[in-house]
Amino acid sequence: MSFHKVIDKRHHEVNAVIGCKAPSLYQTPDRLVCAMLANILGGPASNSLLNAELREKRGWVYGIECSYTQYADTGILAITFGCDKPNLDACLQAIEKVLKRLREVPFTERQVKAFRKQLLGQLAISSEAGEAQCLSMGKSMLSWGEILSPEQTREKIEAIGPEDLQKMAERLFAPDHLSSLIYL
């Protein structure tokens, strides 16, 4: 059940969210594929697909990111961005174009290898933050009764292939699965 809502708040900029249901905390390996896809699409690196297209190449957005939140019974994947009002339609069309490409054109193995390397590097950097690492281990222990070693995590990420990413994109980004909330 998707929805599309526009609310006029009379702001000078647009704040928008486009999202969909995603795999839950317990849907393994789907949740790792979804996490990688969210990272590729709008993760913290400036080379993420949406950031490269909408911010770096076109200068249409102040910022754009994609987040994936996992709950026990469901998950949420959300693309959030802020832009000037005149750029809204162009931004929405560009996002749809990127999502369509993800659904229809598989990544090459070389691209996926680079995506894996980037995600593993981000995980390595985040593991240096002691508090975040403890919270992650606590969540793993509460959720699954175990803590994966870095090697086990690496193996699971290395097992993700181009077809896994395309199937997840087909599942998540079908136009009738996406919802949007736009504040003008």
Side-chain angles (χ1 to χ4, degrees), residues 6-169:
V6 177
I7 300 172
D8 190 352
K9 291 286 193 174
R10 298 189 181 124
H11 290 168
H12 68 280
E13 75 175 65
V14 172
N15 291 290
V17 179
I18 300 169
C20 60
K21 281 182 62 175
S24 75
L25 182 64
Y26 297 108
Q27 289 177 293
T28 304
D30 286 351
R31 66 185 193 84
L32 292 175
V33 176
C34 187
M36 181 181 276
L37 189 59
N39 194 59
I40 293 165
L41 193 56
S46 62
N47 67 343
S48 68
L49 297 180
L50 292 174
N51 192 57
E53 182 67 27
L54 278 79
R55 181 179 164 88
E56 301 302 323
K57 184 176 177 183
R58 309 227 185 255
W60 288 340
V61 297
Y62 303 117
I64 188 163
E65 60 184 52
C66 182
S67 62
Y68 170 44
T69 306
Q70 304 162 47
Y71 301 104
D73 59 345
T74 191
I76 299 170
L77 186 132
I79 298 166
T80 57
F81 66 95
C83 69
D84 288 331
K85 286 181 184 181
N87 294 334
L88 176 61
D89 288 337
C91 288
L92 293 172
Q93 289 173 6
I95 291 167
E96 174 50 35
K97 186 176 178 180
V98 170
L99 297 179
K100 183 178 183 195
R101 188 171 60 237
L102 289 174
R103 290 189 312 263
E104 296 178 358
V105 181
F107 291 114
T108 65
E109 185 56 47
R110 183 178 179 178
Q111 288 172 308
V112 175
K113 184 176 180 180
F115 297 145
R116 286 187 207 117
K117 184 177 179 180
Q118 182 169 335
L119 181 58
L120 289 167
Q122 290 167 341
L123 290 172
I125 289 169
S126 70
S127 72
E128 294 175 6
E131 182 180 353
Q133 186 68 8
C134 288
L135 289 170
S136 177
M137 287 190 280
K139 183 178 177 181
S140 292
M141 186 58 76
L142 288 171
S143 299
W144 301 290
E146 67 177 342
I147 299 169
L148 294 179
S149 69
E151 293 78 23
Q152 290 170 309
T153 301
R154 175 182 287 279
E155 286 174 12
K156 290 181 182 294
I157 291 171
E158 293 286 351
I160 297 170
E163 63 285 342
D164 301 314
L165 293 167
Q166 185 179 14
K167 284 179 186 173
M168 183 61 67

